[in-house]
Each structure stands twice: as structure tokens, then as C-alpha cells.
Amino acid sequence: GEILLSCPEDGPIYAWSPSFGFQNAQVINQAPFFNGGIFVSMPQQILVAWRSVLSSGVQDQLRVRWCDAGEYTNWTVSNQTTAGSFQIPSGSNIVGGMQCPQFGLISTDIEVWTMTYVGGQVIFNFTKVGTGCGWISSHACGILSGNPFWMANNNFFTLGANGVVPLPCTVWDQVFQNLSTENQDKVRVGVNSAFNEIAWFYPSAS
């Protein structure tokens, strides 16, 4: 809708609405206070936070949490809400997450998972779709013609009907042998859907 939601890395979740008038965005006090980032699962309008906190308030590097449908201030898990959480069982940390046309996509440092809305008591079904292909940064994945494309630390990948596949790349040497690994979290994707093009901006070794 018209509500803007935002989350600085490893920080709280903010909300801004035109009804706030001239006020700045406000922290959602009921939401987890430490998160790697957020995205909205559509069309259910469920706010998803990754690298989120446990009930103890400690940030968990592999925890995905989500709120009640259409109510980003309600994160209470019960049989009266759709709120819940899931622990990615492998990897060191969640690098990023985003909403694709048919599912959410979660990447750890080593794996990529789909997050599909199924409703009922489960709410979301998590499926590992690729190993050794985790995103190189939180903003390294983009959607082009309905499919996700991303840069990992060793190749470019996409998710097709048969799972994760590497992209043919004639500039592999130029990119991956000239990459500043200390600054790889700065990699950004750019999608130019009008020309069916996708690009990545990366820090060079020099």
C-alpha cells in the first residue's frame, strides 16, 4: 500500500505513512529490533525480516521471522496469527532476501532457499534450491522477466525451472580475478527491463 517500510542493516524496522504528516519514519517497537534486512511477501502483505532476533533479543544470523498478514505490528506467534519464524539449518549467516513473483528468495553465504507461502499452520515452506551459489552481497540479486539473477563470489547464477544454473560469462576473468573481496558487500545489481539487460557494479581490486 502507501506505507513505506525500511530497515538499516542490523537495525530496527521503520515505518512511514502519509498519515504521519511531517513526522519522520518511526521505529516499529513491536517488531524485532535487530535485523539484516526486510522484504514484503506479496500478495499476503506479510513483512519478512531476515537475520532477525530470537525471543531473548539476541540477533540470530540464520533466523527468518515474519509478522501477521497485513499487520506489521503483530509478530506474536499463535494459532490466531500467521506470524512465525524459521531457522536456516546450514551456513554462517543470511546474506540477503527478496520477493520474487511467485516466492521469496533467501540466500546464506553458501546456499539459496525459496520461501513459498502455503498457509495453514506452516505459513511458509522453505526449500533449498542451490548450494555453493550464495549471493555475494545483500543487493546482488535482481528480477528480470520474472526470474532472479544474482552474483555470487565465484559466478553469476539464475533460478530456472530445473533449479539454480550458472550463467555463461565471457568476462568472468575480468570480474572475479579483479574483485576486491574485502569490499564485496558493496556489490549492487542494476536491472534495465526495457532492454532486457542486467548489470552488476562491483569494487575492483585496485
Side-chain angles (χ1 to χ4, degrees), residues 97-108:
M98 68 181 300
Q99 178 66 24
C100 300
Q102 303 298 328
F103 49 79
L105 201 62
I106 303 287
S107 175
T108 69

Side-chain angles (χ1 to χ4, degrees), residues 2 4 35 43 63 78 101 105 123 164 182 191:
E2 62 185 5
L4 174 67
N35 310 276
R63 175 71 56 173
S78 73
L105 201 62
I123 310 301
V164 174
E182 295 84 1
V191 177

